[in-house]
Amino acid sequence: MSDIGTTDLRAASACRTLVFVRRARDITSLGEAARAFARSSSGRVIIAATCLVAVVRFALGNWSFGDALAVLAVVVALGPVEWIIHRWLLHAEPGSTLAELLGTRDSHERHHRDPDDMEWLLLRRANAIGSCLAIVAPVAVVAGGLSLLGISSARAIGATVVSVGLVALLHYEWVHLLVHSRYRPRSRYYSRLAKNHRLHHFRNESYWLGVTIDTGDRLARTLPADRSAVPLSETARTLG
């Protein structure tokens, strides 16, 4: 193929991604994924929130060893929290009051029915805003209360916790998009995550619940060493 033809194909691919991507399987490169993510409601909301909180954190200053402990605490909690949300909110039993209120089961069921549909793969705007607030609000309340009690570093450390939490949410959405695209990660870690997530969708929805980290699956014993030991589920696409 001529250089001109190759350039035309690349330009057409970039244009397609820039305009609108309806199917994650249409994404074949990191560049296309980045453009699609940046144009999504989820990407815009979480990126904006992360940048805003990062600015606030740097403005507060007052860095301490407590910030390092806060980062470590978030990283340690990330796997179990991700597993709990996926299992009890996204895969909630039909009629679950909280899941019905938040709309998490319905949107996730639509995602399982058609995993490549970009409309349900990433968080919708309202859910993205709600997810950001779910990270910001409780930390702000606790940090504010501790600050009133005279703990001067509470607000700064609280802002660190929120910043790391939002980065984790951003990472979750980014990884989720990539594993449903045709792009194949080069690192062993992300390749394993992609394989596990495909097994979650197409073999058994009760296993491989971790998307960005598998510590929750390891603790809950939903990360089998041999996938053939896990039966094929008839409800992987419908969630029952």
Side-chain angles (χ1 to χ4, degrees):
M1 183 179 291
S2 68
D3 291 341
I4 294 177
T6 301
T7 301
D8 289 343
L9 286 175
R10 288 175 178 172
S13 176
C15 182
R16 182 192 70 237
T17 306
L18 184 63
V19 174
F20 191 69
V21 175
R22 295 182 180 277
R23 310 288 301 175
R25 296 290 292 178
D26 292 336
I27 297 172
T28 60
S29 69
L30 281 175
E32 290 183 359
R35 287 188 290 271
F37 186 65
R39 288 181 61 82
S40 69
S41 295
S42 177
R44 290 176 175 177
V45 168
I46 302 172
I47 290 171
T50 303
C51 291
L52 177 60
V53 173
V55 168
V56 171
R57 177 62 193 94
F58 280 98
L60 288 172
N62 195 22
W63 299 95
S64 67
F65 183 64
D67 291 287
L69 291 178
V71 172
L72 179 61
V74 173
V75 171
V76 170
L78 185 57
V81 169
E82 189 174 292
W83 190 96
I84 290 170
I85 291 173
H86 200 163
R87 173 61 186 87
W88 296 109
L89 287 181
L90 305 186
H91 286 240
E93 298 297 325
S96 167
T97 303
L98 183 58
E100 291 289 342
L101 178 65
L102 298 176
T104 51
R105 190 188 191 282
D106 178 66
S107 60
H108 198 63
E109 181 182 335
R110 291 171 184 260
H111 171 52
H112 268 259
R113 287 184 183 277
D114 189 358
D116 293 337
D117 186 352
M118 288 289 291
E119 184 177 359
W120 300 102
L121 192 159
L122 298 174
L123 291 171
R124 310 192 91 186
R125 181 177 288 105
N127 295 116
I129 293 172
S131 296
C132 291
L133 290 176
I135 295 171
V136 173
V139 177
V141 170
V142 172
L146 292 175
S147 180
L148 290 175
L149 292 175
I151 302 176
S152 60
S153 61
R155 288 181 179 176
I157 293 175
T160 296
V161 172
V162 172
S163 297
V164 178
L166 289 174
V167 168
L169 178 61
L170 189 65
H171 182 235
Y172 178 97
E173 288 288 89
W174 171 246
V175 170
H176 195 204
L177 173 61
L178 282 186
V179 299
H180 282 284
S181 73
R182 282 194 290 163
Y183 171 78
R184 289 295 170 259
R186 298 179 180 179
S187 73
R188 182 178 299 179
Y189 180 78
Y190 286 102
S191 294
R192 185 173 73 249
L193 290 178
K195 182 187 72 174
N196 288 346
H197 195 66
R198 289 192 292 272
L199 289 170
H200 171 75
H201 271 282
F202 301 111
R203 187 168 189 89
N204 195 306
E205 74 279 14
S206 297
Y207 294 83
W208 304 287
L209 293 159
V211 175
T212 67
I213 189 169
D214 59 17
T215 53
D217 279 314
R218 293 181 186 277
L219 290 171
R221 297 184 179 181
T222 51
L223 185 70
D226 182 6
R227 68 177 185 180
S228 63
V230 177
L232 284 171
S233 171
E234 296 181 354
T235 57
R237 300 294 290 272
T238 63
L239 300 187

